[in-house]
Amino acid sequence: MNLILLGPPGSGKGTQAKLIVEKYGIPQISTGDMLRDAVAQGTELGKEAKKYMDAGQLVPDEVVIGIVKERLQQPDCEKGFILDGFPRTIPQAEALDKMLEELGKNIDAVINIQVPEEEVVKRIVNRRSCRNCGAVYHLIYNPPKEDNKCDKCGGELYQRDDDKEETVRQRYKVYKEQTEPLVEYYEKKGILYNVDGTKNIDEVFNDINAILQKFT
Ligand code: ADP
Ligand code: ADP
Ligand code: ZN
């Protein structure tokens, strides 16, 4: 099963991707996580990407396309994958189509998680992420059992540099302009499924599962 999770920043893509990984055993491919790893490791790519990320802008297409192309060729993607946060522009979607064609694969479903701007802002300013394993929490909606400590691995929780209100609003604007056109792109291909992302985490996961039944 090959999936794309689409939706504005803070819509719950990462949270749902992790639940899908647990249930279906296919890997999550998060370009955001891969870019943050590159930043943390201080690679050239990371240094370049950080400028865009801190400003709430998209990293150039050719950079993320290169990362995804490499990742999709890894053996663990044979049984399927979940793209989280990619594609984010029409050129990225076109590049993905080309890559998949070369690999003899195709996308089964694009899950579009719909959440309005005000809710997205509330979610992101209170998001906390684990430095060690990448688990995601929310101080109010999904708090860790112990303050600042990851339930799963005990790692330290931190607030991402780009999870400040001003940057979130900028990222939402970028989403509207550059990413939302993908909804129509995938609708035309007949593989788009809309999900109401304002429900709680378990309810959203149930709705996604109902869609995924067809593909397993
Ligand atoms: P969120 O989960 O809040 O939507 P991400 O972790 O997906 O955020 O992305 C964080 C930042 O990383 C983006 O604002 C952007 O700068 C960069 N990024 C992630 N994925 C892409 C992509 N597919 N294309 C361009 N930039 C990306
Ligand atoms: P994205 O990957 O789309 O940026 P995340 O999965 O990181 O989104 O979720 C953003 C924030 O909202 C996190 O703090 C997460 O715990 C919280 N969250 C995710 N899904 C829901 C939901 N359905 N209801 C309330 N909060 C949620
Ligand atoms: Zn952790």
Side-chain angles (χ1 to χ4, degrees):
M1 186 167 62
N2 303 333
L3 306 175
I4 294 175
L5 295 183
L6 198 62
S11 55
K13 300 181 297 296
T15 300
Q16 295 300 328
K18 292 205 162 58
L19 295 171
I20 299 171
V21 169
E22 274 174 36
K23 177 156 179 173
Y24 296 92
I26 52 175
Q28 169 191 14
I29 303 180
S30 160
T31 42
D33 285 349
M34 290 192 277
L35 291 167
R36 278 184 291 281
D37 280 348
V39 171
Q41 284 166 20
T43 64
E44 279 312 306
L45 187 150
K47 281 181 207 155
E48 175 70 11
K50 190 171 182 357
K51 291 185 271 183
Y52 296 96
M53 295 168 82
D54 285 347
Q57 299 290 349
L58 294 180
V59 173
D61 286 336
E62 53 289 6
V63 175
V64 275
I65 289 168
I67 298 180
V68 172
K69 192 164 186 181
E70 214 167 277
R71 183 66 187 85
L72 282 177
Q73 292 174 35
Q74 301 298 312
D76 64 334
C77 293
E78 292 286 309
K79 53 189 176 192
F81 53 80
I82 309 156
L83 287 169
D84 161 14
F86 180 93
R88 255 181 162 91
T89 63
I90 294 283
Q92 289 180 21
E94 290 169 348
L96 175 65
D97 284 344
K98 194 161 156 260
M99 272 178 233
L100 292 174
E101 200 186 315
E102 284 167 10
L103 293 166
K105 296 178 196 277
N106 60 285
I107 298 294
D108 294 302
V110 179
I111 311 286
N112 181 35
I113 310 181
Q114 299 174 299
V115 178
E117 179 171 4
E118 283 318 306
E119 177 64 19
V120 151
V121 172
K122 274 193 237 162
R123 286 188 186 181
I124 295 192
V125 296
N126 284 315
R127 168 160 62 187
R128 293 294 182 274
S129 312
C130 174
R131 249 188 228 292
N132 183 47
C133 77
V136 173
Y137 298 86
H138 187 279
L139 294 181
I140 299 150
Y141 303 140
N142 182 28
K145 293 198 179 78
E146 250 183 89
D147 279 359
N148 281 316
K149 210 170 166 187
C150 177
D151 293 352
K152 297 197 176 92
C153 77
E156 181 208 357
L157 302 186
Y158 79 109
Q159 181 174 36
R160 280 168 41 181
D161 289 343
D162 60 345
D163 279 356
K164 310 276 150 68
E165 177 161 349
E166 192 189 288
T167 319
V168 174
R169 294 211 185 262
Q170 169 60 27
R171 280 156 60 200
Y172 190 81
K173 195 167 153 255
V174 167
Y175 164 79
K176 279 288 190 191
E177 290 168 4
Q178 301 194 55
T179 308
E180 209 175 49
L182 294 180
V183 171
E184 200 193 325
Y185 182 89
Y186 288 116
E187 212 160 34
K188 280 192 182 145
K189 289 182 185 278
I191 54 173
L192 187 87
Y193 298 84
N194 291 311
V195 167
D196 176 1
T198 63
K199 298 183 186 175
N200 72 38
I201 293 173
D202 293 339
E203 289 168 335
V204 175
F205 187 52
N206 274 337
D207 291 349
I208 291 178
N209 266 314
I211 297 163
L212 300 187
Q213 292 314 310
K214 277 206 237 174
F215 307 104
T216 51

